[in-house]
Amino acid sequence: FGLWASPANTTALLTFPVTEFMVLLEGQVVVQEEGREDRTFNAGESFLLPFGLKLYWKQPTFVKKIFVAVESKDSFPSK
């Protein structure tokens, strides 16, 4: 978990390396998946990106977010 901030940018196609829940505090993010319509998230909104999702991450503006990331289901202790 943490606080993350970054100036405007666009990634190359990436495979999301974790499952991440995030809340945008500032800015805007556009998530583009192949074969789907772009999804736009703005400051004040929250969303979840699952492990293994293939996407382009676009930030047309500065972004600040709080997040919780889980590397895999194996990150949780077994009972």
Side-chain angles (χ1 to χ4, degrees), residues 7-34:
N9 73 77
T10 299
T11 67
L13 180 65
L14 65 90
T15 301
F16 216 66
V18 297
T19 295
E20 183 174 330
F21 173 77
M22 58 195 86
V23 179
L24 292 183
L25 302 175
E26 295 181 40
Q28 182 182 75
V29 170
V30 179
V31 174
Q32 181 183 31
E33 295 175 69
E34 193 171 291

Side-chain angles (χ1 to χ4, degrees), residues 23-70:
V23 179
L24 292 183
L25 302 175
E26 295 181 40
Q28 182 182 75
V29 170
V30 179
V31 174
Q32 181 183 31
E33 295 175 69
E34 193 171 291
R36 294 190 65 183
E37 289 188 28
D38 291 0
R39 292 179 289 160
T40 301
F41 302 96
N42 295 293
E45 295 183 310
S46 60
F47 57 103
L48 179 84
L49 297 177
F51 174 85
L53 180 67
K54 293 182 185 332
L55 59 84
Y56 293 94
W57 174 276
K58 300 178 182 181
Q59 292 178 205
T61 65
F62 171 83
V63 165
K64 184 187 285 187
K65 68 178 182 176
I66 54 174
F67 68 93
V68 176
V70 177

